[in-house]
Amino acid sequence: MTSPSRSFTADRIESRGPAAGDVIAQIEATRPTRVSEILAEARRAQTEWAEIPLRIRCKFVRCLGEVIYRRRAELAELVSREVGKPIVESQFADLVVTLESGRYLTRIAGPELAPRRVPHSNPAVRAKSGWLLHEPYGVIGIIAPWNFPLAIPMAQIIPAVLAGNGVVLKPSPFSAGVGAAIGTLFSEAGFPPKLVQVVQGGGEVGSALIDARPDKMIFTGSVETGRKVAEACARLLIPCVLELGGKDAMIVLADADLDVASSAAVWAAFSNCGQACVSAERVYAERSIAVEFAALCAEKAARLRLGSGRDANIEIGPMIQPTQIERVEEQLRDAVARGAQIITGGRRRADAGPGFFEPTVITGVNHTMRVMREETFGPVLAIQEVASAEEAVRLANDSEFGLAASVWTANSARGRVIAAQLRAGAVMVNDVASYFGIAEAPHGGRGWSGWGKTHSRIGLLEMVQVKYVDVDRLPRWPKPWWYGYSAALSAAADSFIAWMYAPTWLERWRNVRGALGAVFRRGRV
Ligand code: NAD
C-alpha cells in the first residue's frame, strides 16, 4: 500500500509528514509470523510484573510521567510532524491527556484495585465472607489509530500496566514514528524489558496480533475495521473494547451565547482538521438563531490559518491522506446536489500543500444527505435548522453512531434534561469534546461507536478480571441444600422461600420455624 505521504511494505514503513512529505521515521515492520513470539515474551514479563506490589507499579508509571514531561517538546513536535496537527493540539490533546491519565490513575489505582469486601444480605449465607479481587488479564493487545497517536494508546497502556498486565501495541502505520517513541518511553522509565512491546505494520500485523491470542483486545479505529476486529475476537472468544467512529451532534438552542457557541463549533469541527472521533460534525440550531449562528461559524472558519502544524501560529493542518480528502469531497458533492449550500470553504488548498482542505461550513442540510449520516472525519461543519429542542434531540438520535454530543443553552438545567435524552456515551453542556481530556470521565460510545470504555476508573476496571472469593466461617457445617433430598427438605425449602420473600410480614413470620427446619435438617448425605 502506498500514498504520496506514506509507504509501507512487508519489511519497512517509511513515515512521511503529511504537510511537507519529509521522512519522519524509517521503521522496521514486524513480520506477522513474529507477533505470537512477541506476545509470548510479553506474557513471560507479565507474570513477574503482576507479582510486583501495586504501589511499586504506580512508581514506575510516575517515572514514566517524568520521562514524558522531560521529552514533551520533542514528543509534541514528533506528533505534529508525523500526523500534521498543529503543535498546540499535540500539546493539549496528546501530551496533556497522556500525563493526566498517569497522574489520575496512579492516585486511584490503590483504592480501585484493592480487594473489596462483599457484604451478604441473605441470612442463609451470612456466615460467609465474600471478596472481590481485581486480577490482571495477562497481556492486553492494543490496536491504535493515527489521529491521537500518543494520547490514545498511552491512556490505554497506562491503566493496563498499572493493573498488572503486559501490553502489545500496534500503532497505525501512519504514526509509526510516534509508536516507536512510545516503546522508548517505557524502556527509559525502567519498565521490565518486553513488558510493553510495539509491533509495527498495517492490518495484517493487527490481525496477527489478535490471532496471537492476547487475553483482551482494546481497539480504536474505524467502524469498518472494528467489525473485522470484533469478528476475529469473537472467533477466539477474546473480550474486546471497541472505540469506533463518531458523528457527534451539537444542539444550539435559541438562548445560547452564539459568539461562544460558534467559537466552540469551529474548534470542535476543525481541530485536527476534523479528524477526531469526537469532532462536532452535525449542528442542530434553533430556527430563530440558525442564520446568525451559521454566519458566525463561517466568518470564524474563514479566518483560520492553514499550514504546517510545526508553526505554532497555524490552526489547520493537512489531512492525513488523499483518500480522506476524496471522502470529504464526495459528501459535499452529494449534499450540494441535494440542495445544501457551502457558505465558506469547500475546496482543496494546493497552495498550502497537497493534503490541505479549507475548513467548510455547509447549511441547508438534512438527513437524506451522506454528510449528516456518515462519519466525515474531515473539516466540515454541517448546520441544520430545527423548529425546536425536541426536533433537535430527535435528529441527534437519528444516527447509527452514539459517541458524544453537546448542548448549548443559557439554561444549564434544561441542558441537563436534554443531555439525558441524547443517545451518546458522553454529553457536554456548554462545552464540546474536552471531556476526552478529563481523566475522571469515561470515554466510549453506543451503537456503531463501539462498546466498552476507556479513560476514568471504568477504563481502569476494563483492564482487570473480577474474581469473587468466598470464605466460609463455619467450615464444619454442611450446607442445607446439599444431598439427602426429601419431602421434608422440600417443605422446609418452601418455608424458607416464604420467610424470605412473602409479601406480608405475617406470612414471613409464620414460616420462620419451617425455614429453620432447612437449617437444622436431618438425613444429609
Ligand atoms: P483504521 O480503522 O483505518 O485503523 C485503526 C487501526 O487498525 C490501525 O492501527 C490499523 O493498522 C489497524 N487495522 C487495519 N485493519 C486491521 C485488521 N483487519 N485487523 C486489525 N487491525 C487492523 O482507523 P484510522 O484511520 O487509524 O482512525 C480513524 C478512525 O478511528 C475514525 O473512524 C475515528 O472516528 C476512529 N477513532 C475513534 C476513536 C474513539 O475513541 N472512539 C478515537 C480515535 C479515532
Side-chain angles (χ1 to χ4, degrees), residues 54-69:
L54 176 58
R55 71 189 157 73
I56 307 289
R57 297 202 298 264
C58 286
K59 276 193 180 167
F60 276 93
V61 171
R62 283 192 205 101
C63 194
L64 176 74
E66 282 175 34
V67 172
I68 295 167
Y69 175 74

Side-chain angles (χ1 to χ4, degrees), residues 8 143-148 152 156 170-174 201-210 217 219-226 228-229 232 242-246 275-278 320-321 324 327 375 377 401 403 435-436 443-445 449-450 454:
F8 61 99
I143 297 180
W146 63 268
N147 62 341
F148 293 90
I152 288 178
Q156 298 169 355
K170 195 208 80 64
S172 165
F174 295 110
E204 67 296 340
V205 178
S207 64
L209 174 53
I210 301 169
M217 276 302 310
F219 172 79
T220 310
S222 62
V223 173
E224 194 188 357
T225 314
K228 292 182 195 159
V229 166
L242 299 176
E243 295 283 12
L244 309 180
Q275 300 164 112
C277 54
V278 289
I320 193 73
Q321 57 173 332
Q324 199 49 46
R327 179 155 91 177
E375 186 178 36
F377 211 57
F401 296 95
L403 192 53
Y435 83 93
F436 192 76
H443 173 65
S449 293
T454 53

Side-chain angles (χ1 to χ4, degrees), residues 1-2 6-14 29 173-174 201-204:
M1 178 181 159
T2 57
R6 303 288 194 289
S7 77
F8 61 99
T9 64
D11 306 322
R12 195 179 53 93
I13 301 166
E14 186 173 80
F174 295 110
E204 67 296 340

Side-chain angles (χ1 to χ4, degrees), residues 93-142:
D94 281 279
L95 276 165
V96 173
V97 170
T98 302
L99 289 166
E100 181 61 11
S101 168
R103 193 186 72 93
Y104 169 69
L105 290 173
T106 49
R107 274 212 330 257
I108 65 154
E112 286 295 335
L113 301 182
R116 186 159 303 166
R117 187 74 195 274
V118 181
H120 301 321
S121 61
N122 185 334
V125 290
R126 281 270 167 80
K128 293 166 163 303
S129 112
W131 292 87
L132 294 183
L133 305 186
H134 302 99
E135 298 185 343
Y137 272 91
V139 177
I140 308 276
I142 295 177

Side-chain angles (χ1 to χ4, degrees), residues 15-35:
S15 179
R16 288 173 178 271
D22 51 329
V23 176
I24 309 297
Q26 302 263 9
I27 307 275
E28 194 188 331
T30 308
R31 280 197 310 280
T33 48
R34 271 269 295 141
V35 175

Side-chain angles (χ1 to χ4, degrees), residues 49-50 54 57-58 60-61 64 136 140 156-167 186 191 195-196 460 463:
W49 176 248
L54 176 58
R57 297 202 298 264
C58 286
F60 276 93
V61 171
L64 176 74
I140 308 276
Q156 298 169 355
I157 303 173
I158 289 171
V161 294
L162 269 178
N165 298 287
V167 169
F186 284 88
F191 277 76
L195 182 75
V196 176
L460 176 63
M463 304 298 179

